[in-house]
Amino acid sequence: MVNEALLRLEVSLPRSAACDDGASFAKGALLQLIDANKVSGTDTARNVPFGGFVNTEKISGSGTTQVSVHRARGTIIDVVNKSGISGSFFIAKGQLVKISGNNTVSAISGGGTSQAEAIGTGELTPAQSIYLGLAFARALEDATDAETFMVELL
């Protein structure tokens, strides 16, 4: 995999989260929360609740249905800003970020008129994103397209 998160400051020990035996995660992969304490990969996912990022690699079919993840508030990690296909994905220091698929993140800027429309278009207000559990970190520095930058987990 590419674009894995890199741990910069650990504020607590990683936690164990449930996952499918067939799942395979590289160290540093961003995960989505799919159930109370169950996680899944984010290859194509966007606008999904943050489930943590992988502490130790998990190999598919190993018989293991648990994975070690970091998700404690205050943890600082490096992540990759989503690259723009038809425009810029600038993230300013202090902006909230969400998962954008393929182990990348994007800024939460707002725009949708209703929650249902916002989820469909990916344009959520910061308040909607926090309410839905999508905002998972705050940018600690500015980032342009496909740039690696530091964030602090919320």
Side-chain angles (χ1 to χ4, degrees):
M1 290 182 79
V2 296
N3 301 333
E4 286 87 5
L6 177 65
L7 182 64
R8 292 291 182 184
L9 175 67
E10 182 177 47
V11 295
S12 74
L13 296 174
R15 304 174 186 183
S16 182
C19 64
D20 292 332
D21 178 38
S24 178
F25 307 124
K27 181 177 181 175
L30 298 178
L31 301 175
Q32 65 176 312
L33 190 64
I34 59 171
D35 206 352
N37 190 38
K38 188 171 185 179
V39 294
S40 179
T42 60
D43 292 343
T44 58
R46 62 181 264 229
N47 288 339
V48 294
F50 177 69
F53 70 97
V54 179
N55 180 55
T56 54
E57 180 180 40
K58 196 239 177 246
I59 299 170
S60 175
S62 63
T64 305
T65 57
Q66 297 288 313
V67 63
S68 176
V69 299
H70 288 281
R71 60 177 169 211
R73 181 184 181 128
T75 299
I76 296 177
I77 61 175
D78 281 349
V79 292
V80 177
N81 187 8
K82 181 178 178 133
S83 60
I85 295 169
S86 61
S88 176
F89 281 94
F90 180 77
I91 295 176
K93 179 172 59 175
Q95 262 188 307
L96 298 177
V97 297
K98 63 182 178 178
I99 293 174
S100 288
N102 296 320
N103 280 330
T104 61
V105 301
S106 61
I108 294 171
S109 56
T113 56
S114 73
Q115 225 174 48
E117 286 177 0
I119 291 171
T121 63
E123 294 298 322
L124 298 165
T125 66
Q128 288 171 327
S129 297
I130 291 168
Y131 175 75
L132 295 172
L134 308 181
F136 76 92
R138 182 178 312 282
L140 297 178
E141 56 189 344
D142 294 343
T144 57
D145 289 4
E147 183 177 3
T148 299
F149 66 106
M150 283 193 299
V151 298
E152 181 179 4
L153 300 185
L154 301 176

